[in-house]
Structure formats: structure tokens, C-alpha cells
């Protein structure tokens, strides 16, 4: 079989191959990729004699063995199958790459797989709000999530969520009903919507907004990939809002990741007798989140970005939003 680096023609394909080999949120591979190119990273996987930047000999051997074991035997065939024009990819060199992800450092994704309007990721983070929360919601949580999403959409804010049942599904539906723009960040491939019960909803998001994932086409979601996705949901937006969440809800991980990035977090207070409000109430109690009772509260959290991150330059995360286009640009280059 041809060596990995010989099977790719450019940095985009190299990063695509890396996404097939390395699991998301792998800081070891991410650290190396930040020092050398994707093509060079692939070469180092198979060159036993080359020194790996930032690793001693033992660590390099361990990393190589781990990566080599993950190389699919049908890699060439899988690469050939990725020419479907419905899907695209984004890498850091692309105009629509969300520069906010660069704040993740070594934890940044190698590539983003997309279906839809990638231009929704191009603006500053003050133009996007993540709404996440419980899958098993109460009518209170679903109503609040829908109202927040619809009103923010009417302000031309992009609603980011994970496509799940409950809070996230309510946010996507309300945004679409309001004629707004929404992004669904998936834990599996963008060609296999999950959960299956939301296949129609996610198909509409892909047609009218954007589906995005850091794992390749055809890949199923897993617990690790759900955990890793939390950092993307947090990093893509200027604020994360949790209307409802149980005490062990994975959506609280999104809030924690946002807090680590220095992004404001919003939580909707709920009855102390409701298990679905335990999470937001705890975020408020610990001082991680601000109280959110309306879309205006969320807008104020988003607008903090203009004052705290600067407003000029491509690399500034607080750059001004451009007026929304009536025809957003679609997915980035295919392979």
C-alpha cells in the first residue's frame, strides 16, 4: 500500500485523512498539527526514523503505533467515495473557517465536514448563540428554548445547537419557523443524521442552514464524540444558553467549555422542584452563568463580545457581523 503522504495531494486531503485516523479532541495529534502541516503529520506517522516535534522517542513510538493501528485498509477507496457534491470541507486556510475555533489551540478540529451554508460560520461570534439542554424536557423548557431561538433569529443571530431531542430540537425548529439561520453540530457524519427521529428536521437544517461535524462521512456517533463535540458547540458562539438540563446532562459540559474559553454563559432559572432545572440553577448558583429570562438578555451577553474582543481584523473574534445574505454561500470545497 502506498504511504499515507503519497495518497494525498494537498493540505485539505491530509487533514481529511487525519480525521479518519485520529479521534476528535486528541491534543497530542492537535499539538503536532499546530507545529507542522497535515501532510508532514501523515509522513511522521510512518517514518520510524524521523524525530517527532515535541515528543521524546518513547512517546513518538506510542503515538505512531496508535495512529497506524487506526489506518483503514480501504483508505484509498474511502477517499474516492468522498466526492459527493452535497458535502464539503473546511480547513483553517478557508475563508469560511470559523476563526473562533482557533482558540481551542491543540484541541481544534483538523477539518470540518459540512452540508449547507458555510457562510454562517464566517462572521464574528457575537452573531451566533448556542442553545443546548435536556433531551427530556418539560413544556416550560421547550417553550422557553423556542421563544429565545425565534426572537434571536429575528435579530439576525445564528442559532447553534446539536440536533438532539428536547431543547436543541426546539431551538432548530423555532429558528426555521422564524425564517432564521441555524447550525447543527453533529457527533457523527453529516450524511447520517442523528438521532434518526430528527432525520427530517436535520435534513431541513442542511437545506436551509448548515450541518457540520469534525468526523468523516459515514461515521457513527459515540460517547467520546459527543463529549468532544461539546467544545465545538461552545467555541462556535459568543454565548451558550441552557434553558433546561438535568444535573448530569451533557449540555452542562458545553457550558463548562464556554466558561473555560471566557465566553459568557446564560441559564434560565426554573423551579427548584423540577429535575430538568437542576442544571441551570446550579450554573447560576456557582456563578458560571448569568440569568436569562428573555432574548434581550442573550443579546446583551452576545454584544459583550464587541467590547471585550475588538472589532477589526480577520483574526479578531469580535469582528462586526456582515448584513445577512438572502442566499448564504454553500459548503466549502469538496475533495
Amino acid at each position: 500500500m502506498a504511504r499515507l503522504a503519497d495518497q494525498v495531494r494537498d493540505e485539505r486531503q491530509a487533514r481529511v485523512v487525519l480525521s479518519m485516523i485520529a479521534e476528535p479532541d486528541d491534543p497530542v495529534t492537535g499539538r503536532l498539527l499546530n507545529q507542522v502541516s497535515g501532510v508532514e503529520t501523515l509522513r511522521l506517522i510512518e517514518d520510524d526514523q524521523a524525530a517527532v516535534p515535541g515528543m521524546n522517542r518513547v512517546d513518538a513510538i506510542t503515538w505512531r503505533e496508535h495512529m497506524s493501528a487506526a489506518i483503514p485498509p480501504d483508505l484509498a477507496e474511502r477517499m474516492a467515495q468522498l466526492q459527493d457534491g452535497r458535502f464539503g470541507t473546511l480547513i483553517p486556510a478557508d475563508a469560511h473557517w470559523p476563526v473562533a475555533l482557533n482558540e481551542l489551540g491543540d484541541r481544534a478540529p483538523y477539518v470540518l465536514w459540512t452540508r449547507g451554508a458555510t457562510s454562517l460560520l464566517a462572521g464574528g461570534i457575537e452573531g451566533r448563540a448556542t442553545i443546548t439542554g435536556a433531551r427530556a424536557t418539560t413544556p416550560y423548557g421547550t417553550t422557553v428554548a423556542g421563544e429565545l431561538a425565534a426572537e434571536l433569529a429575528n435579530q439576525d443571530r445564528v442559532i447553534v445547537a446539536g440536533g438532539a431531542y428536547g431543547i436543541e430540537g426546539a431551538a432548530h425548529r423555532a429558528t426555521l419557523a422564524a425564517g432564521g439561520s441555524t447550525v447543527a453540530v453533529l457527533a457523527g457524519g453529516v450524511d447520517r443524521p442523528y438521532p434518526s427521529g430528527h432525520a427530517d428536521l436535520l435534513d431541513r437544517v442542511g437545506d436551509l442552514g448548515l450541518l457540520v461535524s469534525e468526523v468523516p462521512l459515514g461515521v457513527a456517533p459515540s460517547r467520546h464524540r459527543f463529549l468532544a463535540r461539546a467544545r465545538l458547540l461552545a467555541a462556535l458562539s459568543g454565548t451558550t444558553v441552557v434553558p433546561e438540563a438535568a444535573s448530569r446532562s451533557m449540555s452542562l459540559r458545553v457550558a463548562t467549555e464556554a466558561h473555560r474559553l471566557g465566553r459568557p454563559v446564560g441559564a434560565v432559572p426554573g423551579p427548584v422542584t423540577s429535575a430538568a432545572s437542576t442544571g441551570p440553577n446550579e450554573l447560576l448558583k456557582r456563578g458560571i452563568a448569568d440569568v436569562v429570562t428573555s432574548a434581550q438578555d442573550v443579546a446583551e451577553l452576545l454584544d459583550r463580545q464587541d467590547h471585550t474582543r475588538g472589532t477589526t481584523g480577520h483574526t479578531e473574534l469580535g469582528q462586526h457581523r456582515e448584513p445577512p445574505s438572502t442566499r448564504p454561500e454553500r459548503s466549502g470545497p469538496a475533495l
Side-chain angles (χ1 to χ4, degrees), residues 186-262:
L186 305 182
V190 293
D191 61 330
R192 49 180 305 168
Y194 183 90
S196 58
H198 273 179
D200 289 343
L201 172 62
L202 293 173
D203 194 51
R204 289 182 62 213
V205 172
D207 288 340
L208 301 174
L210 176 67
L211 299 179
V212 64
S213 176
E214 61 181 322
V215 301
L217 302 179
V219 171
S222 66
R223 176 171 173 76
H224 171 75
R225 291 163 189 157
F226 278 116
L227 291 171
R229 180 187 61 168
R231 78 198 196 288
L232 303 186
L233 285 167
L236 284 172
S237 297
T239 189
T240 291
V241 180
V242 183
E244 269 191 339
S247 60
R248 301 184 67 178
S249 171
M250 198 170 293
S251 63
L252 299 181
R253 185 180 180 95
V254 183
T256 299
E257 293 279 6
H259 186 64
R260 287 174 180 167
L261 288 167

Side-chain angles (χ1 to χ4, degrees), residues 12 30 36 63 78 119 160 178 215 228 258 274 299 307 310-311 314 324 332:
R12 184 179 309 281
V36 301
W63 174 75
R78 289 184 63 183
S119 57
V160 179
V215 301
S274 172
H307 304 293
T311 57
H314 178 69

